[in-house]
Amino acid sequence: MRNPYENTQFVGGHGGGSFKDMSDNGGHLTRIETWKSSYDGHPMIKSIRVTFSDGSSFTQGNNSGLDNKKEAYFDDTELITELSLWGNGNGKRLGRIWLRTNTGQIYDSGHTDGSTEYHARVGSGICVGIEGRAGSDVDELGFIFVKQVKQSYITDLEYPTLASDAHCIQPETIRTFSAQNTHKDNDNDWNFKGSRSETKTSMWKVSRSAKIYGETSIKGKIPKIGEVGQTFGWEFTIGDVRGTSTSETVTLSWDNSGTLEPGESIYLEAVTRKGNLANIPYTGNHIIETIEGDILSFPIEGTYNEVDYTGVEVVTSCPPSEP
């Protein structure tokens, strides 16, 4: 598998120990905090803390006793469109961080002290980590960006609490029908016909870490009501859904007819089965494919909602009770 990340632009010196801070669950940058100080008379970024969308947080350098923190927050779909880094003027530390996002937000921390500006390759604008070298100071720093994204989809779907039986499937009477032949000598034809529109829906709720990758499709198992004989339960179809929700209006129709002999009567119901899944858990893998064909994959979990209907069955019912 090739590298799905842009080449990191490092700026700073070679002291301290190496580090690489990334979320284990595909989280992206949602907060940055930096503290400034000086080294050999040159200004520097002494400490940095980054927080990712899954809640994980990493700190490099020692910010104890410093009260000059500068911070910025990023929304779930906010992308970094420009990033520049400078050294601190003597080639031994990081001096300044400047970035701009697609919302127009600018974060600018530190001083250049006459050093060279280095432009980082931001790719998709999705920052998923930092790396470099640090000890008590941030000696060297670079930001890790995902390359430009071609497509995003969720696959390998499982619904661990969904049983195959009739859980959350209930019969629903659409209409009733009755007819009586009160004639003594003639047959009486009857017809029970009708239709009703209903909406089938499916929706996968995704984590905030997934939203930044744009429209995410579903490729995999989707629960549907199935029938074996007279038994209804949940089964799976393999679907390819654009987006994480789908809606389809269906027409439930029926058309039954027959003949009643003199003195006969009939009582019928048009019945569908409605399945309603509310916030059941699902798991899967979130796949990010870059425009260069590189693949980034991380586990994902969330909740799933569905409303499904069967076709219409016309069944015999009992006559109404006498008042």
Side-chain angles (χ1 to χ4, degrees):
M1 183 181 298
R2 297 183 300 177
N3 182 16
Y5 307 110
E6 293 286 356
N7 292 329
T8 302
Q9 174 66 66
F10 293 100
V11 173
H14 303 291
S18 63
F19 68 88
K20 189 172 186 177
D21 296 331
M22 301 176 69
S23 161
D24 292 332
N25 301 308
H28 57 86
L29 183 67
T30 56
R31 184 183 183 187
I32 182 172
E33 303 164 83
T34 56
W35 291 261
K36 297 180 292 184
S37 186
S38 61
Y39 177 78
D40 284 347
H42 295 271
M44 67 173 179
I45 301 291
K46 179 171 175 56
S47 179
I48 184 170
R49 177 183 297 137
V50 290
T51 302
F52 298 104
S53 54
D54 65 345
S56 59
S57 181
F58 303 91
T59 301
Q60 297 296 337
N62 184 1
N63 56 52
S64 177
L66 299 177
D67 61 359
N68 56 11
K69 179 177 74 172
K70 189 166 187 177
E71 63 183 336
Y73 293 83
F74 307 104
D75 294 337
D76 288 345
T77 57
E78 193 168 2
L79 305 173
I80 296 174
T81 56
E82 297 177 70
L83 171 66
S84 291
L85 302 172
W86 289 262
N88 73 327
N90 66 359
K92 295 182 178 180
R93 296 290 189 272
L94 174 70
R96 180 184 173 191
I97 301 170
W98 182 95
L99 64 83
R100 186 198 305 271
T101 74
N102 61 338
T103 68
Q105 178 179 191
I106 291 177
Y107 178 78
D108 189 358
S109 180
H111 299 280
T112 60
D113 203 21
S115 59
T116 302
E117 178 182 4
Y118 294 91
H119 299 281
R121 294 173 60 93
V122 298
S124 63
I126 303 169
C127 178
V128 293
I130 58 172
E131 59 182 328
R133 303 185 67 84
S136 58
D137 303 337
V138 176
D139 295 82
E140 180 186 60
L141 184 69
F143 289 75
I144 303 170
F145 287 91
V146 177
K147 294 177 180 177
Q148 291 188 12
V149 174
K150 177 182 179 182
Q151 64 173 331
S152 165
Y153 59 91
I154 298 172
T155 189
D156 302 323
L157 285 161
E158 297 291 343
Y159 307 84
T161 64
L162 179 62
S164 61
D165 58 20
H167 173 67
C168 297
I169 301 174
Q170 298 294 331
E172 186 173 292
T173 298
I174 301 175
R175 195 175 301 170
T176 60
F177 172 83
S178 64
Q180 293 179 308
N181 186 354
T182 58
H183 297 287
K184 293 182 179 180
D185 302 317
N186 300 322
D187 292 344
N188 187 28
D189 294 332
W190 60 268
N191 180 246
F192 181 29
K193 179 180 180 180
S195 65
R196 188 171 82 179
S197 295
E198 295 289 354
T199 302
K200 296 182 177 183
T201 59
S202 295
M203 182 176 68
W204 295 261
K205 294 181 180 179
V206 299
S207 67
R208 61 181 304 199
S209 296
K211 293 178 181 179
I212 200 166
Y213 293 97
E215 184 177 71
T216 296
S217 299
I218 301 296
K219 297 184 179 184
K221 296 194 298 187
I222 302 175
K224 294 295 177 185
I225 301 175
E227 179 182 4
V228 179
Q230 296 298 312
T231 302
F232 291 88
W234 293 103
E235 60 184 20
F236 295 104
T237 60
I238 303 301
D240 191 342
V241 177
R242 183 175 180 179
T244 53
S245 64
T246 181
S247 178
E248 177 190 7
T249 300
V250 295
T251 299
L252 306 179
S253 59
W254 66 97
D255 187 356
N256 288 63
S257 58
T259 301
L260 294 176
E261 295 181 357
E264 286 187 329
S265 60
I266 190 170
Y267 301 90
L268 301 173
E269 291 182 355
V271 179
T272 183
R273 269 75 177 177
K274 179 180 180 180
N276 193 347
L277 299 175
N279 293 319
I280 66 168
Y282 77 85
T283 61
N285 285 314
H286 189 184
I287 307 297
I288 312 301
E289 182 182 349
T290 73
I291 60 174
E292 297 178 12
D294 308 309
I295 298 295
L296 172 63
S297 174
F298 52 87
I300 191 171
E301 60 183 29
T303 56
Y304 176 70
N305 293 270
E306 178 178 330
V307 176
D308 192 22
Y309 291 89
T310 66
V312 178
E313 181 183 10
V314 175
V315 297
T316 302
S317 63
C318 298
S321 301
E322 294 292 335

